[in-house]
Amino acid sequence: MNRPSLTAALSAGSLAVITLLGVTAAPAEAATRPADAQVSFAGTVALDDCSGSVVRSPAAADDDPAMVMTNGHCLESGMPAAGQVITDQPSSRTFTLLDADANQVGTLQATKVLYATMTDTDITLYQLSSTYAQIRQQYQIDALPLATTHPVQGHNIEVVSGYWQSTYSCAIDGFAHEVREADWTWKDSVRYTSGCHVIGGTSGSPVMDTSTGQVVAVNNTTNENGEQCTLDNPCEVDQNGNVTIHQGIGYAEETYLIAPCVGSGNQIDLTLPTCALPKP
């Protein structure tokens, strides 16, 4: 997992030091941005140990409290256990907002964790004290739009890290039926081509489709040492149970499942008829 030394892994119910995609090394040099890119740093955020972004679903209104997305393993209270889903947890976490050129322009404040899990996917969604309209008025920055359809194999993407203020450009190589890492299993994960050599601190970065400018996934892990299904060394498991590993290759979790779970007031409503996010 790509957190600056993801300093929290579950072991017999307790937390131990790890490194999901967190921060343990200097940032890799950003790859060249593809010609069709509609991507900048505007709307991305830096956490104390991860990356993230201000995101918006089509159902959200300008005067709704804004939402920040990062990884489940970036949750400040510790990584959720396999099978655990967290909702409506108070939070006072802060986020450093970046503009298009990666300048730090202000601080955003969370009021609560709307949703967090590492089961089937790897996301945390925070509610902010500021509305989308207030962020736009104060910083001239719009939220990043969440895609509402499945990402497409072969499309060019950029992983935009607010923590490192760096981008990583590649394409969607394909989709893994399951990605397993230590105790956690993620389903239908995006597999990058080799150009996105993501590192610690890039956890939670939005993965942008450069042809649409929409967030299609959230960056979460890479196989660092060629090990099989261990912490920081995810493996793929196909429909027949066959296991493969791709050393040095990164993964992301699709985000099109979020929008159908956004209800009135930009709240996460897991009871909505088309909401397929894991439930408590």
Side-chain angles (χ1 to χ4, degrees):
M1 290 176 254
N2 295 16
R3 178 174 176 174
S5 275
L6 245 190
T7 24
L10 289 174
S11 166
S14 62
L15 294 176
V17 176
I18 78 173
T19 323
L20 266 148
L21 280 181
V23 177
T24 51
E29 184 175 349
T32 301
R33 186 170 293 187
D36 61 344
Q38 301 176 15
V39 175
S40 76
F41 288 95
T44 62
V45 300
L47 287 67
D48 50 357
D49 56 358
C50 287
S51 300
S53 57
V54 182
V55 294
R56 182 171 179 169
S57 77
D62 281 352
D63 58 357
D64 283 339
M67 181 186 296
V68 160
M69 178 182 70
T70 187
N71 280 148
H73 74 255
C74 294
L75 186 66
E76 69 268 36
S77 58
M79 294 192 295
Q84 183 180 15
V85 175
I86 296 166
T87 60
D88 295 320
Q89 174 179 288
S91 176
S92 58
R93 196 165 194 180
T94 59
F95 312 92
T96 302
L97 180 66
L98 305 183
D99 68 9
D101 298 319
N103 298 308
Q104 299 181 6
V105 295
T107 300
L108 303 176
Q109 178 83 50
T111 59
K112 67 178 178 179
V113 174
L114 291 166
Y115 183 87
T117 193
M118 290 178 67
T119 299
D120 295 350
T121 185
D122 186 11
I123 57 170
T124 297
L125 300 170
Y126 289 93
Q127 178 177 286
L128 299 183
S129 60
S130 304
T131 67
Y132 291 113
Q134 288 170 333
I135 293 172
R136 183 187 304 117
Q137 180 178 23
Q138 185 170 3
Y139 303 111
Q140 294 75 55
I141 291 174
D142 288 316
L144 303 180
L146 287 169
T148 59
T149 57
H150 193 280
V152 179
Q153 185 175 9
H155 273 208
N156 288 333
I157 54 174
E158 285 201 37
V159 181
V160 189
S161 172
Y163 185 94
W164 288 121
Q165 300 172 21
S166 294
T167 63
Y168 304 84
S169 302
C170 61
I172 295 175
D173 182 56
F175 305 98
H177 174 66
E178 289 184 351
V179 169
R180 295 182 186 174
E181 181 170 342
D183 294 335
W184 299 278
T185 298
W186 305 305
K187 296 180 179 179
D188 193 24
S189 302
V190 171
R191 183 196 313 111
Y192 302 146
T193 56
S194 59
C196 287
H197 188 60
V198 289
I199 60 172
T202 63
S203 281
S205 299
V207 179
M208 311 291 294
D209 185 313
T210 64
S211 65
T212 66
Q214 294 181 330
V215 180
V216 296
V218 58
N219 179 60
N220 79 313
T221 195
T222 191
N223 186 296
E224 296 182 2
N225 304 313
E227 297 177 8
Q228 182 174 296
C229 312
T230 63
L231 193 63
D232 302 321
N233 292 282
C235 63
E236 295 186 21
V237 183
D238 68 15
Q239 293 92 329
N240 298 316
N242 298 311
V243 177
T244 58
I245 58 172
H246 301 279
Q247 184 174 0
I249 295 298
Y251 297 90
E253 303 312 312
E254 299 161 355
T255 52
Y256 75 100
L257 294 175
I258 296 173
C261 302
V262 177
S264 177
N266 211 29
Q267 303 297 304
I268 297 298
D269 184 352
L270 299 177
T271 69
L272 290 173
T274 57
C275 177
L277 286 175
K279 298 170 176 60

